[in-house]
Each structure stands twice: as structure tokens, then as C-alpha cells.
Amino acid sequence: MTVLIVGGGGREHAIAYAVSKSAKADKIYCVPGNAGIAGIAECVDIQVMDFEEIARFAKKVKADLVIVGPDDPLAAGIVDVLQGYGLKVFGPDGKAAILEGSKAFSKDLMKKYNIPTAKYEVFDNADKAMAYLETVSYPVVLKADGLALGKGVLICETQEAARDGVKQIMMDKKFGIAGNRMVIEEYMTGREVSVLTFCDGKTIKVMSSAQDHKRAGDGDTGLNTGGMGTFSPSPFYTAKIDEYCKKNIYKPTVDAMTDEGRPFKGVIFFGLMLTEDGPKVLEFNARFGDPEAQVVLPRMKNDIIDVMLACVDGTLGKIKLEFEDNAAVCVMLASQGYPGKYERGFLISGLEQFKGKDDYYVFHSGTKKTGKGIVTNGGRVLGVTAKGNDLKDARRKAYEACEWIDFDNKYMRHDIGKAIDEA
Ligand code: AMP
Ligand code: GLY
């Protein structure tokens, strides 16, 4: 088969790696890809929002399956466009991708179908939002309705801070049109878990759990990022919690989307908070998480093409999803300054150390091939992942491998997986 992957980050590198292990994949293309993906796929310089060009290219190379990685093209309806060209595509269509694309939609869906989540109200008017702030308890959480590069969430300790937040989102349009509407919701406490699932519109199958580290600094300090590291599985996500979530969250979500005339095919990523009152949904994403994919996919035993085709064809019920009985840890190597200002273009050394070593992976997020070698080209640069017998073993190996890599302004957190010690 010929497979085309859309995207160019660590998530797409992890997907490309899984596809490359499939006996069914004869040829893999990636648009636009990156310097790491280029080691296993032919990368072609087409941007992810250029749907017509991607469709023409997929037709030209006779792609049997197109896999869409990132949220922006999904929310903007790339799947509908590609399907219009008669292509087989893994990922939700625009109608279903709204599950991530609009927080107001997802909150209203959860309310209507009794799916546990934080209490909330939706506003499309700043005055009404300001008035509501008089009535809530603090801290309170403000969310821009639309996609905002994972940055549209503000946790406000005081009413003054919340008023300023409403102003930033709705009046100053800090997150652009994503802030035409907003959600104000109750602040929850507990452990966060990322649960990725495959869906075919009727059936939902759960992958091994993971935990992300969103803040830039050690001890969960500093600004929110796309994710500084992950581990899988989460020791806090017990079999009992899994059973509860399947019954009260996962299946009801898939069924709700179908009932709404928006059958979901692809990956639903449930961001959960394990509260004292049980697991509740923080957010839905309509795609693999990054760096969650970098610890979950290397542990998956199934042929990913079989699973993805089953999602597209509606036969997921026949698939037995299986994961290795081990653990993985991913540490992001970032550019000093991320998620704020940072420099690019520094030469990366040590990548060859990963060759031929089972259990060690280096997934590229922001890299570029140049005449002098592979250089840094983003805030998040490389995801260094290791598998081990258990979480502690995987963490030791991941941090060992982080030392193999060097580049100017290299930055990482040193406490990825520290929570493991409390389990
Ligand atoms: P989201 O983009 O919705 O995942 O939000 C980003 C991060 O904000 C989450 O991973 C949580 O750490 C935090 N967050 C979002 N909603 C809430 C909430 N209702 N209570 C507490 N923290 C939240
Ligand atoms: N790591 C969180 C996300 O992919 O949204």
C-alpha cells in the first residue's frame, strides 16, 4: 500500500514509525514532514492547510490511505475535501472534528448526554460574561471557544484576573476569532490523564493511557506548552477507572456524536481529570496527542494500518487492540525560551546514537535538514523516548538517551515522570 501522512511534527514521526513497521506499507509519503520523518518516508513540501494540493498529490501517487495528524486541518475540513477526491482518509470529517474545534459544542454535548465534566456557561457577549464572574467561585477557568494552539485556556485566581481574561479573549481577541465565544467553567483538581482511543463511528477501542507535562518548567512551573514530556501507562489510571470511563464517558461520547449526525471516525483523545468525584472530561481532541503518541504508539502491538482501515471501514469491532506489557517515557528536548521567543538553526549532534538500539527512539518535532546537517527549527525540537520493563526503567533510559544529543540552547525538564514515584 501507499500511505500519505499529513503533518510534520513528533506526532507524525511517531505515526510514520508505526506505519513503517507495517508489512502492508510499501511506500510512505509525508507532507510536509521533517528531517527525522525523511529517514522513513519521502517528504514533500506541501503545507497542511493546502487541501487541494494535498489531494492532487495523493491522487498522483495513488495513495491507498491518507492519515491526518494535526488539529487545524481536521477542524477546517481536510477530510471532506480529500474524500471528495475519492481518497480513503483516517481522521474525522469537519462535522465530527468540531468535537475539538469548538469547546462550546463539546461542553453542550457533554451536558446533553450526561457525560461528566466541569460545570460551565457559554458566552458570546463580554458584558454577560463579566456579569457571570460576579456569581462564580475562584479560581475559575476561561476558555476561548475555538482552536488557539493549546493556549486558549486561562486559570484565574481572582475576579480581577478573570475580568482581564474575558477582556483578552473576547474584546482584545488575543486568540483571534477563537475568542468570539467563550466558556467559563468550574476549576477542578486531581491528576490529569490522557486517553487516546480509536473510533469507527460505532465502536470505540481504548489505547494504553498516558500523562503529559504541559508546563515549561520543573515542578509544573512556567508557561503552558504543547507538552514537555509524557509517560505511558499512567499508574493512576486503574482498571476500575478504565471500566468507569468506558461506560460513562467513552461509549456515550461516540454514541452522542452519531446521534447528533456527526459520526466520529479517527482518534478521540480524552483529556481527563481524576477528581474526588470521579473522572471528568477536561477536553476532547480529535487527533493523537503530541507527545502522547510518542509513548503510546511504540507500545502498540497491532499493525496500525489494520486498525486505521477498520476505523474508516466501520469494522473496528473485529480488532483486538493490544499493547506491550512495559512502559515508555518521552522527554522533549526544546529550544531555550520556548514557549516564548527562541532561536533556530543550531546544529544537532548525537542523532546517530539511536541507530540499531531497540527501545530507544528519537522523534523529530522541529528540525530541518541543511547543508551542514540537521538543525533545530522549532520550540519543541526532539522527543527522546525509551521503553523499559517498568516506568522507572523507562525514565532512566530516556534521560540517559537525552545526554546523547547536543545542540546550542538545548532545554528540557528534569522531572518528567516524577509522579511515578508517588504511585
Ligand atoms: P485544555 O486545553 O482544555 O486541555 O486545558 C489546558 C489545561 O488547562 C489542562 O490540561 C488543565 O491542566 C487545565 N484545565 C483546563 N480546564 C480545567 C478545569 N476545569 N479545571 C482545572 N484545570 C483545567
Ligand atoms: N499533549 C497535548 C496535546 O497534544 O494536545
Side-chain angles (χ1 to χ4, degrees), residues 11 100 150 194 212 214 225-227 230 269 283 285 287-292 380:
R11 162 184 43 223
E100 173 170 7
S194 300
D212 193 7
K214 289 202 166 120
T225 70
T230 38
F269 161 168
E283 62 161 349
N285 295 306
R287 50 167 176 86
F288 286 99
D290 190 5
E292 282 86 346
R380 292 194 292 177

Side-chain angles (χ1 to χ4, degrees), residues 103 118 141 143 150 153 155 185-188 192 214 224 273 282-283:
K103 295 204 191 275
V141 183
K143 301 186 172 184
V153 175
I155 295 172
E185 74 177 28
E186 164 197 41
Y187 177 75
M188 302 190 285
E192 287 188 41
K214 289 202 166 120
N224 256 322
M273 179 93 76
L282 279 169
E283 62 161 349

Side-chain angles (χ1 to χ4, degrees), residues 14-94:
I15 293 171
Y17 163 76
V19 170
S20 75
K21 283 201 317 184
S22 166
K24 297 192 173 68
D26 304 310
K27 176 79 193 169
I28 311 171
Y29 291 96
C30 189
V31 292
N34 64 34
I37 298 173
I40 43 178
E42 188 173 331
C43 295
V44 180
D45 193 18
I46 304 174
Q47 297 313 302
V48 299
M49 296 306 279
D50 196 348
F51 302 166
E52 295 294 330
E53 197 55 36
I54 293 172
R56 273 196 291 275
F57 179 75
K59 291 302 278 186
K60 191 177 92 184
V61 299
K62 299 195 171 63
D64 300 293
L65 175 67
V66 183
I67 303 165
V68 183
D71 47 354
D72 282 328
L74 287 168
I78 187 175
V79 173
D80 309 67
V81 173
L82 299 182
Q83 282 173 344
Y85 281 80
L87 292 156
K88 207 170 233 209
V89 195
F90 177 81
D93 61 15

Side-chain angles (χ1 to χ4, degrees), residues 312-330:
V312 179
D313 295 337
T315 55
L316 189 60
K318 292 189 188 145
I319 299 270
K320 185 163 188 275
L321 211 52
E322 289 187 290
F323 284 80
E324 293 169 359
D325 183 19
N326 57 11
V329 169
C330 169

